Amino acid sequence: MSRKIRRALVSVSDKTDIEKIGAVLAKHGVEILSTGGTAKKLQEVGISVTEVSKFTGFPEMMGGRVKTLHPKIHGGLLFVRGDETHETEAEQNGILPIDMVICNLYPFQQTVAKEGCTLADAIENIDIGGPSMTRSAAKNNKFVTILTNPADYQRVIDEMDRTGGAVSEETNFDLAVKAFGMTAAYDCAIWEYLAGKKDQLVKSILLGPAVGLAYAESRDRNPAHFLPNLIGPEDSLAFSRFETISGSPAYITVADHDTILNILCALAETFRRWQGNVPYIAICGKHGSPCGLAIDWKNPMTAIEKAIWGDPRAVMGGEFICNFPITDKLGQRLFAPNKQKNFGRDKVGLDLICVPGISDSALELLGKREKRKVMTNVALSDPQLPPEEWTLRAIRGGYLEQRAACFLLTPDNILKWAGKPLTKTGFETLLVAWVACWRTVSNTTALAKNRQLIGLVGGQQDRVQCTRFCFDRAVQSGHDTTESIFATDGFIPYPNSEAPIDIKNIIPDLQSLLDQTKKSNDPHEQLRLLDRLRALALSKDNRESSELMRDGGCIGGIVPYDGQNKDQTVRFFKDAGMRVAFVAPEHRGFYGH
C-alpha cells in the first residue's frame, strides 16, 4: 500500500541534492517544514518552507540545541493513522501528521577526526533532535517515510513521480531499516570517543546487511555470508565494491581474494613509494597463499604468464588478480597456457578472476564454465592500501586487536646488507619474494627469480623444513633455483650447523638402494626405493636454512636482523658471496596468526 506525502520535515547537515528532492516535494504539493540552514538553502532556490518554530509555536532555543523536540513534531510522526484514540488525541492537541522526514545528523565522526578537536567541540556535535526524529519516523514506518542518505533520494523521487506523490510501505520499511543502522553507528562513534577520553578502549562492530555466498568452507557449514562493515572509512576496494559479472563467489573464494588483494596493494604501494610508479602486477593464489606472482614494466602478458607458471600445478582451481584490464588476447592466456611449455593440461582452470575490467569476448571465454567467478573493480587499476588502522581477529569470547601491517620494504629501510646491495632489478625481484613472504602467513620462506615468484611455503612449525620445502616446490614446478633470491619472515638463529651432512658414512647405504632400484623390474617398487633414497639423504642432512639457501644457489635475500647470532648470520652470507638485506627486528613478518 502507498500513502501520499502531504507534509515533510527537512533538516540536514549534509545538503547534497537537497534542492533536488525539495523541488519534487514542492511539485507534488507537499508542505515542507524546515530549520535553520536547511530552510535557507531551500528558500534560496525558490522552494517555500515553513519554519519549525512557526509550526510548533515554540522558538528555537539554547543555541539550537532545542528545535524539533516538541510534541507537535514527534506526535505528528508517531501517531498511528486510523487508530481512533491516536486520531482523537492528535486533534485535541493540534497535532498534524508529518508523513516524511529527511534528516542526517551533525557530523560527529568528521568533527572528532579533525586535528585540535576539543571535548567541547565534540559535545556540541552530538546530535539529539536528529536521531530522535529519525527514530520516531522509522518506528512508525508504516505511515512515515524516513530518508537519511542522499543516495536514497532518487528512489523516492522516482516513486513519487510514478504514483502522484505517494510512497509505498515496502519502501518505507527498507528506509527505516537503514535509518536504525545509521543511528546505531552514530551512537557507537560517540561511545567510542567519550570512552577514549576516560582512557577506555572500546570498539564497535556493526555489520550488514548480509550478502549470501554460494557456500561455506564445507557444505555442512552452510549458509555463508559476507557482512559489510557499516562503521569505518570508505574503501574503494572493499569486497562490496566489486561487481560480480559471472558466477557466484563462495566463502573460500572471498577469503582467498582478500589475501591476494592485500598482497597486490602492498606491492603496488611499495613501488609507488620507491620508484613513483607501479609495474604490471599479476598474482595467482590458492588456499590463502600466492602460488604465482610476477611483475613486468612493459608487457602485462609477461606478468600473466610468469604468475601462471609460478606453480602450474597449484594454480588449478585458484584465484587471479591484477592491476590491468583483460583484453581478448590476455583473456585467452588466462584460459589456456602457452603451448610451448608442458603445462600438464589444456586449460589453466582458474576459479576466480578479479580485474579492473574485461573485454566482452574474454568474459565470454572465461565465464563459460558455470562455476567460474569473474569480478571487476576499476579501483584495481590503482590499488591502494586498506584504510583501516587496526585489524581484529575473532577468538572465543572476543577479538584480538593490533595495528594493521604497515611495513613496506624500500632500499631506505634496509638496516644493513651482507655483501653489496642488490641491483635495481635484483631489488625488484627481492620485493616479489618479500611481499609474498611477509603478507601470507607466519614462518614463511619465499623464492623469486627474474621478478617472478618461483616457490613459497608458509605456516611451518620448523623454519628449516619450511626452507627445504620451498626449494622442493620450486624444483617440482620446473624452476632452477640458481641465482634466485629468498625471503624469510623470521630471523635465522643458527647460521651454521655443526655437522651439515656426513656423505661418506651414507654412501654404502645409498649405493645399496641404487643397486636394488636397478635390479627391480617393478615400477612401483622402484618408486618406493627412490623414496627410501630420499628419506635416507634427508635423515642425515642437518643443514640450517641459511646453508640450504646458499647451497640452493641463492644470490641474495632478506631476513630480520635479530637473535643472539645475528652478526654471525651476516658474516655467513657475506662469506658465501650473497647479497642479503637485513631489516630491523620489529619488522619481522609473522603475519596471519
Side-chain angles (χ1 to χ4, degrees), residues 394-412:
I395 62 169
R396 192 163 177 168
Y399 292 84
L400 297 175
E401 182 189 59
Q402 63 180 348
R403 288 193 181 277
C406 58
F407 175 66
L408 296 175
L409 180 65
T410 67
D412 292 337

Side-chain angles (χ1 to χ4, degrees), residues 478-489:
H479 301 291
D480 180 359
T481 61
T482 304
E483 297 188 350
S484 61
I485 292 175
F486 75 84
T488 178
D489 65 338

Side-chain angles (χ1 to χ4, degrees), residues 385 389 391 403-407 438-439 591:
L385 293 173
E389 185 181 354
T391 61
R403 288 193 181 277
C406 58
F407 175 66
W438 253 252
R439 294 299 180 105
Y591 193 83

Side-chain angles (χ1 to χ4, degrees), residues 445-491:
T445 299
L447 291 173
K449 185 175 179 178
N450 298 327
R451 304 190 181 106
Q452 175 191 23
L453 182 70
I454 62 171
L456 182 136
V457 171
Q460 299 297 310
Q461 295 79 11
D462 182 341
R463 69 192 182 281
V464 176
Q465 290 301 330
C466 184
T467 302
R468 192 185 304 281
F469 292 159
C470 185
F471 278 92
D472 288 348
R473 287 290 296 274
V475 171
Q476 289 173 355
S477 297
H479 301 291
D480 180 359
T481 61
T482 304
E483 297 188 350
S484 61
I485 292 175
F486 75 84
T488 178
D489 65 338
F491 71 91

Side-chain angles (χ1 to χ4, degrees), residues 107-126 193-194 197:
F108 180 83
Q109 294 95 321
Q110 294 91 326
T111 298
V112 298
K114 293 178 181 177
E115 188 175 351
C117 174
T118 65
L119 178 61
D121 294 332
I123 293 295
E124 281 309 307
N125 276 275
I126 297 176
Y193 174 81
L194 294 180
K197 291 298 179 182

Side-chain angles (χ1 to χ4, degrees), residues 188 191-192 195 200-206 231 389-392 401:
C188 286
W191 175 51
E192 288 184 13
Q200 298 173 2
L201 176 62
V202 297
K203 292 282 183 178
S204 307
I205 301 175
L206 194 62
I231 300 178
E389 185 181 354
W390 299 88
T391 61
L392 298 174
E401 182 189 59

Side-chain angles (χ1 to χ4, degrees), residues 10-13 15 18 34-43 49:
V10 184
S11 180
V12 294
S13 291
K15 296 176 175 56
I18 196 63
S34 193
T35 61
T38 306
K40 183 179 179 181
K41 184 80 171 178
L42 293 172
Q43 289 167 337
V49 301

